[in-house]
Amino acid sequence: MELLSGADMIARFLQDEGVEYIYGYPGGSALHIYDALFRQDKVKHILVRHEQAAAHMADGYARASGKPGVVLVTSGPGATNTITGIATAYMDSIPMVVLCGQVMSHLIGEDAFQETDMIGVSRPIVKHSFSIKHPSEIPEVLKKAFYIATTGRPGPVVVDIPKDMTAPTERYEYLYPKKVKLRSYNPVTRGHSGQIKKAVDMLMKAKRPILFGGGGLILGGASAEFTQLAKTLNIPVTTSLMGIGAFPQTDEQSLGWLGMHGSFEANQAMHHSDLVVCVGARFDDRATNNTAKFCPTAKIVHVDVDPSTIGKTIRVDVPIVGPADSVLREMNELVAQSKQRPDTEALAVWWKQINDWKASRQGRLYEAAQGEQALKPQQVVEAVWEATSGEAYVVTDVGQHQMFAAQYYKFDKPNRWITSGGLGTMGFGFPAAMGIKLNYPEDEVVLITGEGSFQMLLQELSTCKQYDIPVKIINLNNQSLGMVRQWQDLNYKSRHAQSYMESLPDFQKLVEAYGHEAMRVDRLDELKPALEKAFAMKDKLVFLDVYVDPFEHVYPMQIPQGSMRDMLLSKTERT
C-alpha cells in the first residue's frame, strides 16, 4: 500500500492518466502541488505569462489531439484569469481539466487573501465542477473530471482544491482508479436504429440533398465515416466553421463552409435543398441567419450526441441522439445493404445547379494586388497555403483575418483548423498555436492573426523563448480592428468609433526584443521570399508583419435577418 500526500496524489494521478504537459502559473494556494510536480519528471509544466494563456494552450492541444488539456493555477486572480479560456472551450465543446488552488477550507467564506468562489464564478461555463473535501478522494474526483470532460459532448471541468487538501504532512492510500461510474451521467453510445433507417430512406429519395457537418464530427473522430457516406451517395457537402476539414476541401463534392461569411454555393445549396442531414453542428446563429427563413423547402435530419441541441433553434424532422461515428457507421451499413439507390437523374440536375453557382463566382472573389498595390489579405493566406502544401496546423485569432484564413486555406484533414468559434476570443490564437507546436514539434504550426488580437496575449513570446516553441506567426496588419471597421462601414456610414489603434508598436523590434526573428512585408514581390525564409527557420519563432489593404472587406457576407441565400458579394453587389 502506498501513502501519498494530496499534492503527490495529484502529480501521480497525472502521470497515471498519461498527461505529458500541464500549463499554469504558481501562487500560494497551489504551492504544495507545484512542489510535488517539481519532485517528479514525467509530467512537464509549462510556465505561461498569464493564466488565460494556460487555458488557451491546453485548449489548442485538445483541439489538435482530441485529448484533454490540463491547466493548473492558484486561487483568486489566478483562477479567475482562466475564465475566458474556460468559456472559449465550453462554447466549442473542447475537453479540458482546470485544477485551481483554493484557500484553506476553514477560511472559505471569510474573504481570505486571494479567495474567490471559483465554483460559483465558473458554473455557467463548465460541463461540471468539483470541490475537494478530503485528500483521500483526490484520485477518484480527478478520474471523474477526466471522464466527464472527454465523454459525450466534451467540455471543461473545474476542480477546486483547498490548500489544506494538499498538505505534505497528511498522507493517505493512493490507488489509480481504472474506471469510474457516475449514477447520474450516462452519455449515449449509439443512435436509435429506427431513426437512422428513416434518415437513410430520406437520403435515397431526396432530389436536392446536402450533408452538413459540424465540429462534433471532428470531436467525435467521425470524418472518415462522413466522407464515406458523401462519396457513396455522391451528395454535396458543406460544414460549419468548426467542421472545416471534416471533409476534404479540395474534393469536388465540397462546397466549402456555410453561414455568415461562408461560400456563395454552400449558402445557395442549403437554401434550395430538399433534405439537410446535419451531423454534429448546433445550428448556431452564424450558420443559419434568420431561423424563420432557414432552408424553407428542406426536411431536416439532425444527429448530435447532446440531446439539448436538437430542436433548440431549428425545427427537426428526424432527431437522432448519438455519437457521430457510430450513427454514421450504421448509416453506411444501411446504404450498403439497401436495394434502393439514389435518384441519379435528380442528383445530376442538382449538381448542375451547384456547379453553375460555383462557376458564377470564379475569379470574382477579390481583386488580387499587382506590383506596388497594397497586398490583399486573401492573397497572403493563399500564399501560406502554397508554402505549407496545405499540411499545416493553422491557428487563428478572431476577426477579418480569421474569415480570410477559413476561406482561402483549403483543409483536407480534420483537427488542422484551430479557431475560437462560439465565443470568438481575441487572443486565443497565439497560446493555442503554442500548445499544438509543443506537442507536435515536427509539424508546421502557423498562427494567422491581426494586430488587435495579437496584442491581447503577446507576452507569451517570453514563454516561447523559455521553452523553444518555434511557431510561425503571420500578422495581417491592416492597422485597425478590421471586422469592427467593416461593420461600421456597412451599418454606421463609416463612422469608425474606436476601431483604429493609433499607436501600434514596431512589431519587428518588439518580437526581436523577446529574442525571436521578425520580418516586415509590404509588397507582393516580398511575400513569397519572406515566407520561404520563415519556414526554412525550423527551430525559430518567426513573426511576419504583413501590411495589407486596410480597406478590404470579407465577402460573401450574409445580409442580417435574411435567408441563407441573401448575401452581399462585394461592396457594390448583392444576391
Side-chain angles (χ1 to χ4, degrees):
M1 187 174 76
E2 192 173 17
L3 297 177
L4 295 177
S5 72
D8 284 323
M9 283 187 194
I10 292 168
R12 177 66 62 82
F13 177 88
L14 293 171
Q15 290 178 14
D16 292 344
E17 191 66 21
V19 174
E20 192 180 352
Y21 288 104
I22 185 167
Y23 314 93
Y25 203 92
S29 295
L31 284 184
H32 293 328
I33 306 171
Y34 271 90
D35 188 60
L37 287 171
F38 185 83
R39 288 181 280 103
Q40 57 83 54
D41 57 4
K42 289 197 179 115
V43 181
K44 300 175 197 68
H45 181 279
I46 303 298
L47 176 66
V48 295
R49 303 308 187 251
H50 188 289
E51 291 90 352
Q52 183 182 338
H56 293 327
M57 275 189 90
D59 181 331
Y61 162 71
R63 289 176 199 244
S65 69
K67 298 172 187 167
V70 189
V71 177
L72 172 60
V73 291
T74 192
S75 61
T80 58
N81 275 350
T82 65
I83 287 293
T84 300
I86 293 169
T88 302
Y90 179 74
M91 285 291 278
D92 290 342
S93 308
I94 305 302
M96 185 192 288
V97 176
V98 183
L99 307 176
C100 300
Q102 183 53 281
V103 300
M104 292 201 186
S105 46
H106 70 276
L107 294 174
I108 290 174
E110 295 190 4
D111 295 335
F113 177 65
Q114 290 194 329
E115 181 193 353
T116 304
D117 174 12
M118 185 58 180
I119 298 283
V121 169
S122 66
R123 185 169 280 122
I125 51 164
V126 294
K127 188 174 174 186
H128 196 62
S129 50
F130 294 95
S131 185
I132 301 292
K133 299 286 190 277
H134 192 273
S136 62
E137 68 181 32
I138 285 172
E140 192 186 348
V141 168
L142 291 184
K143 189 68 185 173
K144 285 178 180 174
F146 276 80
Y147 174 67
I148 290 169
T150 53
T151 52
R153 180 180 181 176
V157 176
V158 161
V159 184
D160 201 47
I161 310 167
K163 188 170 184 179
D164 48 325
M165 298 297 126
T166 59
T169 48
E170 291 186 37
R171 291 165 186 243
Y172 297 90
E173 186 181 352
Y174 173 80
L175 276 173
Y176 173 71
K178 289 279 193 294
K179 53 178 194 269
V180 68
K181 193 155 174 56
L182 288 159
R183 194 182 58 192
S184 57
Y185 176 69
N186 294 298
V188 290
T189 54
R190 55 189 308 255
H192 187 284
S193 292
Q195 295 291 84
I196 295 171
K197 187 174 182 310
K198 203 183 287 184
V200 170
D201 285 344
M202 288 166 78
L203 269 172
M204 293 299 192
K205 290 174 186 154
K207 295 190 182 331
R208 300 184 308 281
I210 188 165
L211 288 179
F212 169 31
L217 272 179
I218 293 170
L219 292 164
S223 300
E225 289 84 356
F226 184 69
T227 302
Q228 184 188 336
L229 184 67
K231 298 308 277 179
T232 307
L233 298 175
N234 189 30
I235 296 176
V237 176
T238 185
T239 71
S240 67
L241 184 75
M242 298 309 298
I244 288 175
F247 183 83
Q249 288 194 306
T250 56
D251 190 287
E252 57 198 8
Q253 282 175 239
S254 171
L255 309 187
W257 51 283
L258 54 72
M260 179 178 273
H261 293 293
S263 78
F264 175 75
E265 54 269 27
N267 287 339
Q268 288 283 13
M270 282 291 283
H271 182 81
H272 293 281
S273 64
D274 67 352
L275 176 67
V276 174
V277 177
C278 170
V279 187
R282 57 188 176 87
F283 292 111
D284 169 78
D285 61 294
R286 290 286 162 115
T288 62
N289 211 355
N290 185 342
T291 52
K293 299 175 183 175
F294 180 73
C295 300
T297 56
K299 291 259 189 275
I300 293 177
V301 175
H302 191 184
V303 181
D304 206 289
V305 75
D306 178 5
S308 74
T309 64
I310 297 179
K312 186 163 77 173
T313 57
I314 296 291
R315 195 184 68 77
V316 173
D317 298 282
V318 181
I320 302 171
V321 179
D325 57 348
S326 76
V327 170
L328 286 167
R329 218 171 291 128
E330 206 170 321
M331 285 177 113
N332 281 318
E333 283 165 13
L334 287 170
V335 167
Q337 294 158 9
S338 175
K339 294 194 168 49
Q340 272 183 296
R341 278 285 117 323
D343 185 336
T344 48
E345 279 179 31
L347 270 179
V349 173
W350 182 222
W351 270 115
K352 184 183 181 311
Q353 170 66 80
I354 286 168
N355 289 326
D356 286 349
W357 284 323
K358 276 188 181 182
S360 74
R361 297 301 300 149
Q362 290 309 313
R364 290 201 295 147
L365 294 172
Y366 72 94
E367 296 284 327
Q370 310 291 329
E372 296 291 309
Q373 289 175 304
L375 271 164
K376 295 290 182 181
Q378 302 95 319
Q379 249 175 321
V380 180
V381 174
E382 285 183 327
V384 172
W385 179 61
E386 283 167 19
T388 56
S389 308
E391 290 286 324
Y393 287 94
V394 175
V395 190
T396 77
D397 276 297
V398 173
Q400 282 184 325
H401 67 266
Q402 176 191 29
M403 297 296 108
F404 289 133
Q407 288 174 339
Y408 291 92
Y409 196 103
K410 300 294 174 217
F411 294 87
D412 284 344
K413 294 178 187 168
N415 305 92
R416 297 281 168 145
W417 163 249
I418 312 288
T419 199
S420 166
L423 198 67
T425 307
M426 290 173 71
F428 163 84
F430 185 25
M434 291 161 59
I436 297 165
K437 186 64 180 174
L438 199 61
N439 287 274
Y440 296 97
E442 300 307 310
D443 288 288
E444 206 60 82
V445 179
V446 183
L447 168 65
I448 296 177
T449 186
E451 71 287 354
S453 289
F454 186 69
Q455 289 186 98
M456 293 259 171
L457 288 173
L458 65 76
Q459 74 283 341
E460 297 310 315
L461 286 164
S462 174
T463 308
C464 286
K465 188 66 183 167
Q466 182 174 344
Y467 297 100
D468 295 321
I469 308 176
V471 294
K472 302 296 181 270
I473 302 168
I474 315 293
N475 184 42
L476 297 182
N477 194 335
N478 59 8
Q479 297 128 83
S480 68
L481 302 176
M483 193 58 91
V484 174
R485 199 203 63 239
Q486 176 168 334
W487 278 75
Q488 289 169 338
D489 284 340
L490 294 169
N491 300 322
Y492 300 92
K493 297 182 178 167
S494 295
R495 292 190 295 274
H496 297 143
Q498 306 303 320
S499 51
Y500 281 98
M501 293 185 171
E502 290 168 20
S503 60
L504 286 172
D506 180 330
F507 283 108
Q508 207 172 337
K509 285 182 182 165
L510 179 71
V511 172
E512 285 168 353
Y514 276 99
H516 303 295
E517 300 288 328
M519 291 177 256
R520 175 172 168 150
V521 176
D522 288 282
R523 296 199 322 271
L524 182 59
D525 60 359
E526 298 169 346
L527 179 61
K528 200 175 170 193
L531 286 170
E532 283 171 3
K533 192 174 169 189
F535 288 120
M537 290 190 252
K538 294 283 178 209
D539 57 347
K540 287 187 169 8
L541 181 149
V542 187
F543 185 99
L544 250 57
D545 194 16
V546 187
Y547 278 73
V548 295
D549 183 348
F551 305 111
E552 191 68 7
H553 284 183
V554 180
Y555 294 110
M557 181 178 183
Q558 282 181 334
I559 296 163
Q561 295 307 308
S563 69
M564 291 295 286
R565 68 172 173 184
D566 297 325
M567 290 169 272
L568 300 171
L569 302 175
S570 71
K571 288 179 182 176
T572 57
E573 204 184 350
R574 59 194 286 160
T575 51

